[in-house]
mmCIF file of all heavy atoms in Angstrom:
data_model
loop_
_atom_site.group_PDB
_atom_site.id
_atom_site.type_symbol
_atom_site.label_atom_id
_atom_site.label_comp_id
_atom_site.label_asym_id
_atom_site.label_seq_id
_atom_site.Cartn_x
_atom_site.Cartn_y
_atom_site.Cartn_z
ATOM 1 N N GLU A 40 105.183 85.033 77.799
ATOM 2 C CA GLU A 40 106.542 85.238 78.297
ATOM 3 C C GLU A 40 106.551 85.025 79.800
ATOM 4 O O GLU A 40 107.480 84.385 80.346
ATOM 5 C CB GLU A 40 107.041 86.619 77.937
ATOM 6 C CG GLU A 40 108.415 86.888 78.480
ATOM 7 C CD GLU A 40 108.858 88.320 78.277
ATOM 8 O OE1 GLU A 40 108.171 89.097 77.636
ATOM 9 O OE2 GLU A 40 109.925 88.658 78.807
ATOM 10 N N ALA A 41 105.539 85.546 80.492
ATOM 11 C CA ALA A 41 105.495 85.381 81.936
ATOM 12 C C ALA A 41 105.307 83.928 82.333
ATOM 13 O O ALA A 41 105.921 83.462 83.305
ATOM 14 C CB ALA A 41 104.351 86.223 82.495
ATOM 15 N N ILE A 42 104.493 83.190 81.620
ATOM 16 C CA ILE A 42 104.281 81.788 81.910
ATOM 17 C C ILE A 42 105.573 81.015 81.715
ATOM 18 O O ILE A 42 105.966 80.190 82.527
ATOM 19 C CB ILE A 42 103.127 81.245 81.040
ATOM 20 C CG1 ILE A 42 101.813 81.906 81.433
ATOM 21 C CG2 ILE A 42 103.034 79.734 81.118
ATOM 22 C CD1 ILE A 42 100.650 81.685 80.445
ATOM 23 N N ARG A 43 106.274 81.331 80.618
ATOM 24 C CA ARG A 43 107.504 80.613 80.276
ATOM 25 C C ARG A 43 108.618 80.940 81.315
ATOM 26 O O ARG A 43 109.413 80.087 81.637
ATOM 27 C CB ARG A 43 107.965 81.011 78.881
ATOM 28 C CG ARG A 43 109.186 80.288 78.354
ATOM 29 C CD ARG A 43 109.520 80.564 76.897
ATOM 30 N NE ARG A 43 109.430 81.977 76.523
ATOM 31 C CZ ARG A 43 108.430 82.525 75.801
ATOM 32 N NH1 ARG A 43 107.433 81.775 75.394
ATOM 33 N NH2 ARG A 43 108.427 83.817 75.479
ATOM 34 N N ASN A 44 108.686 82.164 81.818
ATOM 35 C CA ASN A 44 109.754 82.569 82.716
ATOM 36 C C ASN A 44 109.381 82.645 84.183
ATOM 37 O O ASN A 44 110.170 83.133 84.989
ATOM 38 C CB ASN A 44 110.311 83.931 82.254
ATOM 39 C CG ASN A 44 110.942 83.852 80.889
ATOM 40 O OD1 ASN A 44 111.709 82.947 80.581
ATOM 41 N ND2 ASN A 44 110.587 84.803 80.030
ATOM 42 N N TRP A 45 108.220 82.177 84.518
ATOM 43 C CA TRP A 45 107.760 82.274 85.903
ATOM 44 C C TRP A 45 108.600 81.362 86.769
ATOM 45 O O TRP A 45 108.914 80.244 86.334
ATOM 46 C CB TRP A 45 106.267 81.860 85.973
ATOM 47 C CG TRP A 45 105.665 82.107 87.308
ATOM 48 C CD1 TRP A 45 105.126 83.284 87.748
ATOM 49 C CD2 TRP A 45 105.528 81.187 88.362
ATOM 50 N NE1 TRP A 45 104.665 83.146 88.994
ATOM 51 C CE2 TRP A 45 104.874 81.834 89.421
ATOM 52 C CE3 TRP A 45 105.877 79.855 88.542
ATOM 53 C CZ2 TRP A 45 104.589 81.234 90.644
ATOM 54 C CZ3 TRP A 45 105.579 79.245 89.736
ATOM 55 C CH2 TRP A 45 104.964 79.921 90.777
ATOM 56 N N PRO A 46 108.969 81.725 87.966
ATOM 57 C CA PRO A 46 108.750 82.960 88.683
ATOM 58 C C PRO A 46 109.928 83.920 88.627
ATOM 59 O O PRO A 46 110.017 84.855 89.406
ATOM 60 C CB PRO A 46 108.536 82.496 90.097
ATOM 61 C CG PRO A 46 109.488 81.358 90.273
ATOM 62 C CD PRO A 46 109.489 80.684 88.878
ATOM 63 N N GLU A 47 110.845 83.692 87.678
ATOM 64 C CA GLU A 47 112.083 84.502 87.618
ATOM 65 C C GLU A 47 111.857 85.987 87.247
ATOM 66 O O GLU A 47 112.586 86.831 87.648
ATOM 67 C CB GLU A 47 113.079 83.899 86.660
ATOM 68 C CG GLU A 47 113.810 82.665 87.197
ATOM 69 C CD GLU A 47 112.964 81.416 87.067
ATOM 70 O OE1 GLU A 47 112.178 81.331 86.110
ATOM 71 O OE2 GLU A 47 113.120 80.522 87.922
ATOM 72 N N THR A 48 110.833 86.225 86.417
ATOM 73 C CA THR A 48 110.632 87.613 85.966
ATOM 74 C C THR A 48 109.220 88.110 86.339
ATOM 75 O O THR A 48 108.296 87.301 86.506
ATOM 76 C CB THR A 48 110.777 87.708 84.450
ATOM 77 O OG1 THR A 48 109.834 86.888 83.794
ATOM 78 C CG2 THR A 48 112.175 87.281 84.015
ATOM 79 N N LYS A 49 109.109 89.412 86.443
ATOM 80 C CA LYS A 49 107.784 90.018 86.658
ATOM 81 C C LYS A 49 107.033 89.926 85.326
ATOM 82 O O LYS A 49 107.592 90.116 84.241
ATOM 83 C CB LYS A 49 107.929 91.472 87.034
ATOM 84 C CG LYS A 49 108.220 91.652 88.500
ATOM 85 C CD LYS A 49 107.502 92.872 88.992
ATOM 86 C CE LYS A 49 107.790 93.055 90.419
ATOM 87 N NZ LYS A 49 106.604 93.134 91.226
ATOM 88 N N CYS A 50 105.780 89.636 85.421
ATOM 89 C CA CYS A 50 104.993 89.515 84.200
ATOM 90 C C CYS A 50 104.403 90.842 83.737
ATOM 91 O O CYS A 50 104.198 91.734 84.547
ATOM 92 C CB CYS A 50 103.870 88.510 84.415
ATOM 93 S SG CYS A 50 102.541 89.074 85.465
ATOM 94 N N ARG A 51 104.171 90.932 82.429
ATOM 95 C CA ARG A 51 103.543 92.132 81.898
ATOM 96 C C ARG A 51 102.081 92.197 82.288
ATOM 97 O O ARG A 51 101.475 93.279 82.245
ATOM 98 C CB ARG A 51 103.694 92.147 80.369
ATOM 99 C CG ARG A 51 105.138 92.278 79.914
ATOM 100 C CD ARG A 51 105.275 92.263 78.445
ATOM 101 N NE ARG A 51 104.952 90.912 77.931
ATOM 102 C CZ ARG A 51 105.082 90.578 76.662
ATOM 103 N NH1 ARG A 51 105.485 91.445 75.773
ATOM 104 N NH2 ARG A 51 104.769 89.348 76.269
ATOM 105 N N ASP A 52 101.481 91.058 82.622
ATOM 106 C CA ASP A 52 100.075 91.058 83.026
ATOM 107 C C ASP A 52 99.837 91.941 84.253
ATOM 108 O O ASP A 52 98.747 92.481 84.424
ATOM 109 C CB ASP A 52 99.616 89.615 83.358
ATOM 110 C CG ASP A 52 99.385 88.801 82.129
ATOM 111 O OD1 ASP A 52 99.286 89.355 81.021
ATOM 112 O OD2 ASP A 52 99.355 87.556 82.246
ATOM 113 N N GLY A 53 100.853 92.125 85.124
ATOM 114 C CA GLY A 53 100.726 92.963 86.291
ATOM 115 C C GLY A 53 100.456 94.412 85.981
ATOM 116 O O GLY A 53 100.042 95.192 86.835
ATOM 117 N N ALA A 54 100.728 94.809 84.729
ATOM 118 C CA ALA A 54 100.486 96.186 84.268
ATOM 119 C C ALA A 54 99.261 96.226 83.362
ATOM 120 O O ALA A 54 99.007 97.280 82.733
ATOM 121 C CB ALA A 54 101.698 96.739 83.541
ATOM 122 N N ARG A 55 98.556 95.138 83.255
ATOM 123 C CA ARG A 55 97.386 95.064 82.340
ATOM 124 C C ARG A 55 96.087 94.731 83.029
ATOM 125 O O ARG A 55 95.106 94.291 82.390
ATOM 126 C CB ARG A 55 97.702 93.967 81.284
ATOM 127 C CG ARG A 55 98.908 94.271 80.441
ATOM 128 C CD ARG A 55 99.258 93.103 79.543
ATOM 129 N NE ARG A 55 100.316 93.458 78.614
ATOM 130 C CZ ARG A 55 100.937 92.596 77.869
ATOM 131 N NH1 ARG A 55 100.646 91.311 77.923
ATOM 132 N NH2 ARG A 55 101.877 92.974 77.053
#
Side-chain angles (χ1 to χ4, degrees):
E40 179 187 354
I42 293 168
R43 184 173 44 255
N44 296 314
W45 189 86
E47 284 81 30
T48 61
K49 279 216 179 237
C50 71
R51 295 178 290 184
D52 285 343
R55 298 172 173 170

